[in-house]
């Protein structure tokens, strides 16, 4: 029987040992987060994060779970989390820095839609001035009917699905996204009230034989592009979010890193590659358009 379990698979493929250990630790910690989502308290923690949003108990708990597990590896110089105001140094002798959104889509938990966790991994001490392109790996977990872990390292994107024993088993290797799209996932549709260009882009999709697939959680909305090997997800700006809502370091850059390995594209609404945007602030936002390359090209034309 070939070795298809996460830790065996990554070590057999000869990827960097320390990086493999960080990825394995993230996937392992994700099991505790998945358990907390299934069984945990949905009450408000009574605190708010930098954006003044309520942090539900699960956001805080997920943040703690990933932080503690990453700290225990002794491999991580610093972390930056959507739920923490500043970068936190864990081990000043270590080589890696990990940025993460510990729980994305937490407002969907009561509706029982899929949520996730997203990670950007740099082999560098700290994040300032780094670009998405400087990452050595990115990964995410989707907590849906099944828990799925997807990672991108070197030139590969690999999907692992949790089995009945709690182990992550390879379910897809070397994921590639086609250049034409079959679905569209238009985030921030309220921008169409103010923006004729976005309204026209959405009408363009509606006139094509594309299927609308949008959950409101970017992890599931972008995961389906990788899973179905085609699609487009957009989150443009409007007056309330002049730079978009989604964060560069915790959300957009890691997905852009994964997308690039699959042959998909990830740009901001001006058409600049997300991977080329330098990190100036931990909580910096960006607009994003990600997915099948032909459809991204057309979207850039509509918005510019
Ligand atoms: P988070 O739960 O980490 O704050 O992020 C939620 C994000 C993302 O998952 C989704 O694409 C976006 O918010 C949707 O926002 P709106 O429904 O406000 O457009
Ligand atoms: Mn998020
Ligand atoms: Mn979050």
């Amino acid at each position: 029987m070939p070795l298809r379990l996460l830790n065996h698979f990554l070590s057999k493929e000869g990827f960097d040992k320390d990086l493999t250990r960080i990825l394995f630790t993230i996937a392992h910690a994700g099991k505790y987060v998945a358990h907390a989502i299934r069984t945990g308290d949905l009450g408000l923690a009574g605190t708010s994060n930098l954006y003044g949003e309520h942090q539900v108990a699960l956001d805080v708990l997920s943040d703690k779970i990933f932080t503690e597990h990453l700290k225990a590896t002794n491999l991580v110089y610093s972390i930056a989390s959507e739920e923490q105001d500043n970068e936190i140094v864990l081990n000043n002798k270590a080589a890696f820095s990990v940025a993460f959104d510990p729980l994305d889509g937490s407002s969907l938990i009561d509706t029982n839609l899929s949520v996730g966790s997203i990670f950007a991994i740099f082999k560098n001490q700290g994040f300032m001035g780094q670009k998405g392109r400087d990452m050595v790996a990115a990964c995410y977990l989707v907590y849906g009917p099944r828990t799925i872990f997807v990672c991108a390292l070197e030139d590969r994107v690999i999907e692992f699905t949790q089995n009945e024993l709690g182990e992550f088993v390879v379910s897809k290797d070397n994921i590639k996204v086609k250049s034409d799209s079959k679905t569209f996932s238009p985030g921030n549709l309220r921008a169409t009230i103010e923006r004729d260009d976005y309204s026209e882009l959405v009408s363009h999709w509606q006139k094509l034989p594309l299927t609308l697939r949008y959950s409101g959680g970017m992890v599931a909305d972008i995961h389906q592009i990788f899973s179905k090997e085609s699609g487009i997800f957009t989150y443009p700006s409007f007056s309330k979010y002049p730079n978009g809502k989604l964060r560069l370091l915790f959300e957009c850059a890691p997905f852009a890193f994964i997308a690039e390995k699959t042959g998909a594209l990830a740009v901001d609404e001006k058409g600049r590659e997300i991977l080329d945007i330098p990190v100036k602030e931990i909580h910096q936002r960006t607009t994003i358009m990600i997915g099948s390359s032909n459809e991204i090209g057309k979207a850039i034309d509509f918005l510019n």
Side-chain angles (χ1 to χ4, degrees):
M1 164 116 176
L3 296 174
R4 306 291 285 172
L5 300 183
L6 176 63
N7 56 339
H8 296 158
F9 185 84
L10 294 183
S11 41
K12 190 187 66 167
E13 294 293 323
F15 297 119
D16 180 288
K17 258 177 77 185
D18 289 344
L19 181 57
T20 299
R21 199 154 139 241
I22 291 173
L23 290 168
F24 184 69
T25 301
I26 290 169
H28 178 71
K31 295 182 199 175
Y32 293 89
V33 174
H35 182 261
I37 291 165
R38 271 176 204 130
T39 59
D41 175 16
L42 292 184
L44 294 173
T47 53
S48 50
N49 64 13
L50 197 69
Y51 319 101
E53 299 160 340
H54 273 303
Q55 282 176 299
V56 298
L58 284 169
D59 282 301
V60 178
L61 182 60
S62 308
D63 185 51
K64 212 171 141 60
I65 291 171
F66 286 120
T67 303
E68 291 306 316
H69 278 80
L70 288 169
K71 190 172 182 178
T73 64
N74 275 325
L75 294 170
V76 179
Y77 169 78
S78 69
I79 55 162
S81 161
E82 193 191 83
E83 299 302 331
Q84 302 287 344
D85 294 356
N86 301 305
E87 179 178 352
I88 300 168
V89 174
L90 299 180
N91 173 6
N92 56 23
K93 295 201 180 72
F96 292 89
S97 294
V98 183
F100 55 91
D101 179 353
L103 192 55
D104 178 79
S106 51
S107 68
L108 299 175
I109 286 176
D110 55 356
T111 58
N112 212 8
L113 284 161
S114 293
V115 294
S117 308
I118 316 162
F119 298 82
I121 305 170
F122 296 85
K123 195 165 186 176
N124 188 70
Q125 294 192 325
F127 305 96
M128 284 311 114
Q130 294 288 299
K131 295 175 181 162
R133 240 174 247 303
D134 300 321
M135 271 181 243
V136 287
C139 61
Y140 63 88
L141 286 135
V142 200
Y143 315 105
R146 293 168 186 236
T147 300
I148 287 179
F149 175 74
V150 176
C151 64
L153 68 175
E154 293 182 9
D155 56 353
R156 299 258 287 280
V157 179
I158 311 159
E159 181 199 82
F160 300 85
T161 301
Q162 208 182 10
N163 69 11
E164 67 280 9
L165 298 174
E167 302 158 327
F168 286 100
V169 183
V170 180
S171 40
K172 283 182 192 141
D173 188 7
N174 205 12
I175 295 174
K176 295 289 171 207
V177 171
K178 297 184 181 77
S179 48
D180 288 321
S181 185
K182 291 195 184 126
T183 58
F184 68 112
S185 310
N188 200 18
L189 261 189
R190 42 190 153 5
T192 60
I193 300 167
E194 299 173 4
R195 293 188 55 172
D196 292 343
D197 55 354
Y198 194 41
S199 188
E200 282 158 21
L201 175 58
V202 175
S203 307
H204 152 77
W205 289 327
Q206 288 174 320
K207 284 178 206 137
L208 293 172
L210 298 188
T211 305
L212 172 68
R213 284 282 181 270
Y214 186 73
S215 74
M218 81 177 298
V219 177
D221 287 329
I222 297 180
H223 173 65
Q224 74 181 335
I225 299 175
F226 302 136
S227 166
K228 302 288 189 194
E229 299 172 359
S230 95
I232 180 166
F233 170 89
T234 48
Y235 205 106
S237 64
F238 78 135
S239 53
K240 188 176 169 199
Y241 301 125
N243 299 314
K245 175 186 180 190
L246 300 171
R247 290 94 190 183
L248 174 65
L249 187 55
F250 318 115
E251 296 174 319
C252 297
F255 275 121
F257 183 88
I258 299 168
E260 197 202 34
K261 315 273 174 206
T262 67
L265 277 180
V267 296
D268 70 5
E269 66 185 12
K270 300 273 178 234
R272 291 177 292 231
E273 282 203 54
I274 298 281
L275 292 179
D276 289 331
I277 306 174
V279 176
K280 293 195 189 123
E281 281 173 65
I282 296 288
H283 294 270
Q284 174 177 343
R285 298 175 193 257
T286 178
T287 56
I288 185 168
M289 307 202 282
I290 181 168
S292 295
S293 54
N294 287 347
E295 210 48 56
I296 295 288
K298 286 186 233 162
I300 294 171
D301 292 343
F302 270 94
L303 298 195
N304 291 278

